[in-house]
Amino acid sequence: MSTSITLKQINKLAIPALIAGVSEPILSLTDAAIIGNMEANATTSLAAVGIVTTFLSMLIWVLGQTRSAISSIISQYLGAGNIEAVKNLPGQAIFVITTLSLLIIAVTYPLASHIFKLYNADGAILNYSVDYYRIRVFGFPFTLFTIAVFGTFRGLQNTYFPMLIAISGASANIIFDVILVYGIEGFIPAMHIEGAAYASVFAQLIMALLSAYYLLKKTDIPLIVKFPFNPEMKRFTLMILNLFVRTIALNIALYFGTSFATKYGGSYIAAYTIAINLWFLGAFLIDGYASAGNILSGKLLGAKDYKSLIALSNKLIKYGIIVGLIIGTIGAVIYYPLGRLFSNDQAVLSKFYEIFWIILAMQPLCALAFIFDGVFKGLGEMKYLRNVLLFSTLVVFIPIIFLTDQLDYKLYGIFIAFTFWMVARGLPLIIKFRKTFIPLAQNT
């Protein structure tokens, strides 16, 4: 029997997920805002934060796909009324993913200088990047742990506790940033960019501890790893592998964007850092509705309620466009004060103001792409998501960014490439979804 999905139900999941989703970009934005307003070496430090943030985002997005995979499987079993069969899956998944994160730290820590040279960093920017990364990377396992727990809660149709955890982490990060970057006279010395890195690690630790607490106290999902592996670990692993390839393709685009911006000069990469972090913030704001699509689509698929699945997609398209327009409008209203929040360097601000309007105009397109990303993750269609990202990156984004570089468009060219990239990501998902599920809905 079809179940009506109301705006109230969607918002009950989307709004807390939206607030929870902004925790990671807020960590980076807080670092960028405070570092960008330091009295000494602000532009160089801001450039370093931008480079490291891009690399860390790649690592988090690659291994953080556990959230989508766990959410998809648990929500489908919940819809089918058989949640007991996968209760031990989250603990096993968390064990595997945190073990991988420790291996990544062991490999990347000594190679940090070589890694950031690949982003065209050199001189003081390279030194600051290495210093910042070698502290902040120790928050990586805590972040992955938290993301996996968030995925478990999403599968259980609960975004409230992740919201509380995220608010706590973001608040702690702001407090630690102010204290450690600027210091407290006579008590704590100013640590500048290293202080910002420590602040992020402390905030990530707090979020991991709270995640463990809420999962153990508010659900009957265990964290103790028991073997043998759950039968769904095979499907979970295949999902992760497809999402891994997909995320590599995504981060190839981010790598070229950051690399070209760095090549253009310090003020360009600093302006790009502000712009791309604000773009990430917009993406995570929209991700609230993508999360609702993820959570509800998995449950409806498990229940084989195809009519409600179509109705859900129609509502998400409408709400996504509205949210994208709201974000773009707010950004336009606070256009100039927003830039000054992150830097007082006029060369950086001038370049940022020249291209920020492109990011604002992209928001409705981004909304559609991100929302259907979420829906397809909830459906477990990771292979199709992989293929779409490979096409949009290799066939659309890379040729365009190299062409615009040859035309000397600089930051304009980078964000023009990102715009076409988003169109190529979103349109195939909408077409595929409607071709697949409209006939199923009509036959039930």
Side-chain angles (χ1 to χ4, degrees), residues 199-244:
S200 295
V201 173
F202 294 154
Q204 288 161 325
L205 172 60
I206 289 170
M207 290 174 69
L209 292 173
L210 288 173
S211 296
Y213 171 81
Y214 279 114
L215 188 69
L216 295 173
K217 291 293 183 180
K218 302 299 181 179
T219 77
D220 56 357
I221 301 290
L223 280 175
I224 297 175
V225 182
K226 294 182 179 180
F227 298 100
F229 281 120
N230 188 286
E232 284 291 349
M233 275 297 290
K234 180 179 179 180
R235 182 158 71 113
F236 171 81
T237 302
L238 288 174
M239 285 183 177
I240 293 297
L241 289 174
N242 280 318
L243 289 172
F244 175 82

Side-chain angles (χ1 to χ4, degrees), residues 4-36:
S4 176
I5 301 295
T6 65
L7 175 60
K8 183 178 180 181
Q9 287 175 283
I10 292 172
N11 281 336
K12 187 177 179 181
L13 295 170
I15 293 174
L18 180 157
I19 296 170
V22 301
S23 60
E24 183 58 34
I26 281 178
L27 294 182
S28 298
L29 279 170
T30 302
D31 288 355
I34 291 177
I35 288 169

